[in-house]
């Protein structure tokens, strides 16, 4: 047996024994309300395509036109030969939308968070991170070399105390605005005030709020009127905006710093032109999509209420992310499989994505889900209940 086979076998066996084995499910068709898995048509309840834009005809046309005009790939990193007009125009549009001076594109939200955090802090500095922050934030904090302080989830008093006790040269507070696995919203007004009083830089990950929250969908920063008090905003193009990639926005000084220091930006091929052009159309649609956001909110509220009435452990919330708490990984996997047998596709979320003992189904709705779609979901959850 070759060493790689021995290593893989040992590690994967531990994964299976702990009910943490992961495998890909092959889906067919666009990311719409319904997809196909093999020969089965199933209701999709685990996509981040919140506004239903991933297969929007206007985005498809923009991507096709850009492929004809600019080609499929950017060819190189932005600092070599890959910085194109379509990138600049999208960045300018994103900055205006987020009420910021400038923005910078990244290939993914993972790249954006690691690049921003490692550019802002290093050895001798301190970062203050919410306990339920995304893995990309956790990894960015670790890679930065800064001293890491993890404060209990949304505990502003603990954050205040941790900041007061730090003598670090530079302090960075970082939180998600909408938490990806719980769907709850961070107390951003209080966090912004605490960070300002402590002289700390405030970074907010708006991945699951971009396109969803705020009068124009610009995120929780816009919802709370905090755009001018948040130093660094990260957002993604691959969730509510239906495309791929991410961006960081803030002051021009911040963007210049990232261009010079963010390794995931410097050493990665630029976003493909068709994606950049489709994302620009998505931003334009999202800014005026108040009706879509209202439909999304209503659909999420209805499904959340129905699941609670059935007796499922579902917390209150305002976002399209609806966690159905199960507890044990094995039970979450079994519930996911039974729902699939009833025509509903929703994934089991297990450690290390969530803390041990808090496995769940992460149900997400889209603005394009109809009343009949939600009825189908409720019927499926009723059918598998207690089995």
């Amino acid at each position: 047996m070759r060493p790689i086979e021995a290593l893989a076998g040992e590690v994967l066996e531990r994964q299976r024994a702990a009910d943490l084995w992961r495998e890909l499910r092959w889906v067919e068709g666009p990311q719409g309300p319904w997809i196909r898995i093999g020969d089965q048509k199933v209701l999709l309840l685990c996509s981040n395509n919140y506004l239903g834009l991933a297969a929007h005809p206007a985005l498809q046309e923009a991507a096709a036109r850009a492929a004809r005009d600019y080609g499929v790939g950017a060819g190189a990193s932005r600092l070599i030969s890959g910085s194109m007009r379509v990138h600049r125009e999208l960045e300018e549009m994103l900055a205006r939308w987020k009420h910021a001076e400038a923005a910078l594109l990244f290939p993914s939200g993972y790249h954006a968070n690691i690049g921003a955090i490692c550019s802002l802090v290093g050895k001798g500095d301190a970062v203050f991170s919410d306990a339920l922050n995304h893995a990309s934030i956790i990894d960015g904090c670790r890679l930065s070399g800064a001293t890491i302080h993890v404060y209990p989830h949304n505990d502003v008093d603990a954050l205040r105390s941790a900041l007061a006790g730090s003598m670090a040269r530079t302090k960075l507070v970082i939180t998600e605005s909408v938490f990806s696995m719980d769907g709850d919203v961070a107390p951003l007004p209080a966090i912004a005030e605490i960070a300002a009083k402590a002289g700390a830089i405030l970074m907010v990950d708006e991945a699951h709020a971009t396109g969803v929250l705020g009068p124009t969908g610009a995120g929780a920063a816009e919802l709370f009127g905090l755009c001018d008090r948040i130093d660094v905003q990260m957002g993604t193009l691959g969730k509510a905006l239906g495309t791929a990639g991410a961006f960081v926005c803030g002051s021009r000084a911040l963007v210049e710093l990232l261009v010079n220091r963010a390794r995931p930006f410097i050493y990665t091929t630029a976003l493909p032109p068709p994606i950049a052009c489709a994302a620009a159309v998505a931003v334009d649609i999202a800014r005026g999509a108040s009706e879509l956001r209202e439909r999304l909110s209503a659909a999420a509220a209805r499904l959340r209420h129905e699941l609670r009435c059935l007796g499922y452990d579902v917390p209150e919330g305002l976002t399209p992310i609806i966690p159905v708490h199960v507890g044990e990984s094995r039970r979450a996997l079994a519930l996911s499989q039974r729902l699939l047998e009833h025509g509903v596709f929703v994934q089991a979320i297990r450690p290390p994505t969530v803390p041990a003992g808090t496995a769940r189904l992460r149900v997400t709705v889209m603005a394009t889900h109809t009343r009949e779609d939600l009825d189908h979901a409720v019927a499926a959850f009723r059918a598998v209940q207690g089995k």
Side-chain angles (χ1 to χ4, degrees), residues 235-249:
T236 56
L237 308 173
K239 295 180 173 61
L241 297 181
T243 56
F247 61 94
V248 175
C249 61

Side-chain angles (χ1 to χ4, degrees), residues 89-355:
E89 291 176 348
L90 176 56
E91 287 168 344
E92 291 172 349
M93 176 182 284
L94 289 166
R96 289 193 299 270
W97 190 32
K98 296 290 285 182
H99 308 283
E101 288 182 356
L104 189 68
L105 293 169
F106 284 82
S108 72
Y110 203 97
H111 285 88
N113 275 335
I114 289 178
I117 295 167
C118 292
S119 297
L120 293 167
V121 290
K123 188 175 181 180
D125 301 325
V127 60
F128 301 81
S129 177
D130 188 284
L132 295 188
N133 274 340
H134 189 265
S136 59
I137 297 174
I138 295 170
D139 290 354
C141 293
R142 291 170 175 169
L143 288 169
S144 73
T147 300
I148 303 169
H149 301 270
V150 178
Y151 63 90
H153 180 51
N154 283 343
D155 188 335
V156 293
D157 291 330
L159 172 60
R160 184 184 294 107
S161 297
L163 282 165
S166 173
M167 300 299 290
R169 175 186 56 196
T170 300
K171 303 175 186 179
L172 172 66
V173 175
I174 183 164
T175 181
E176 295 182 62
S177 58
V178 172
F179 287 87
S180 59
M181 293 298 124
D182 291 80
D184 57 338
V185 180
L188 288 185
I191 292 174
E193 182 178 355
I194 291 168
K197 287 183 178 179
I201 298 168
L202 175 57
M203 177 175 172
V204 176
D205 178 331
E206 292 262 60
H208 293 273
T210 300
V212 174
L213 298 182
T216 70
E222 181 186 54
L223 177 68
F224 290 118
L226 295 171
C227 293
D228 61 341
R229 298 180 62 189
I230 297 172
D231 302 295
V232 187
Q233 294 185 59
M234 192 283 281
T236 56
L237 308 173
K239 295 180 173 61
L241 297 181
T243 56
F247 61 94
V248 175
C249 61
S251 66
R252 295 193 187 282
L254 167 68
V255 169
E256 290 175 1
L257 178 68
L258 296 178
V259 168
N260 282 274
R261 293 194 62 180
R263 293 171 69 86
F265 172 82
I266 297 169
Y267 298 110
T268 305
T269 299
L271 207 63
I275 295 297
C277 290
V281 173
V283 171
D284 194 47
I285 293 173
R287 286 187 302 193
S290 57
E291 183 180 347
L292 278 179
R293 280 186 283 277
E294 288 170 6
R295 285 164 53 186
L296 177 64
S297 178
R302 183 189 167 207
L303 186 55
R304 191 184 297 268
H305 172 74
E306 294 283 0
L307 293 178
R308 287 170 63 89
C309 287
L310 287 175
Y312 285 96
D313 184 1
V314 176
E316 294 285 358
L318 301 172
T319 72
I321 301 170
I322 307 171
V324 179
H325 291 280
V326 177
E328 297 177 1
S329 296
R330 183 169 299 180
R331 291 183 60 210
L333 287 167
L335 182 56
S336 173
Q337 180 58 36
R338 292 191 180 107
L339 285 167
L340 186 62
E341 292 166 2
H342 284 77
V344 172
F345 181 38
V346 56
Q347 291 280 26
I349 306 298
R350 296 158 287 157
T353 307
V354 294

